[in-house]
Structures are given as structure tokens and as C-alpha cells.
Amino acid sequence: MNPIIITGGPGAGKTTLMNALGACGYATFPEGPRHLIEQQSQSDDGILPWTNLPEFAHLCLELMRSQTKTSSLGGGLNHLLLIELL
């Protein structure tokens, strides 16, 4: 399975495109970094991109791996995988 990564500036239409493709039945994953920033900000020793970018990138990678393992795509099916990034 080869991922397709949707990226672009604020207001470029990434989320709109992701929602439309998801509604058409394509497997999509929401933006992980935003969720991780919200989660890590709640902790005094949270890992944030502006204080520890390498470790934050590692958290993002682990989140994406977890999403694909728990999705219906885990069996190596020939599906389109879309990942939205900042």
C-alpha cells in the first residue's frame, strides 16, 4: 500500500478534500500532529514540536503506524490511504 499525503497551507482545502474522499469510501486518517499537540500540551513534560521536534516527529510516526494497524487496511489490501498533514 502506497500512501498519498495531502499537504498544503492553511485554507487550501485539505480537510474539505479529505472529508469528500472519506465520504466516497476511501480510507483516510485525520491530521495527527494537531491531536498530538493538544494531547501533549496537557502534560507538564509533554513532547511538543517547538521544544523537541525529533521526539515529536517520532510520536507522529508512531501515531500513523497505529492508525494503519488498527484500520481495515492492515491486511495489505490495495486501498488508497490518505494522510492529512499540516
Side-chain angles (χ1 to χ4, degrees), residues 57-80:
H58 178 75
L59 286 178
C60 290
L61 180 59
E62 290 302 314
L63 176 63
M64 288 186 277
R65 283 184 180 151
S66 171
Q67 288 174 327
T68 56
K69 284 182 183 178
T70 60
S71 75
S72 62
L73 301 174
L77 301 174
N78 188 19
H79 285 269
L80 179 64

Side-chain angles (χ1 to χ4, degrees), residues 11-44:
K14 300 177 301 290
T15 300
T16 300
L17 176 61
M18 296 290 289
N19 291 340
L21 290 169
C24 290
Y26 290 99
T28 64
F29 296 103
E31 177 188 342
R34 182 173 290 150
H35 167 75
L36 288 173
I37 288 170
E38 291 171 4
Q39 178 191 57
Q40 293 295 313
S41 293
Q42 300 301 313
S43 175
D44 289 336

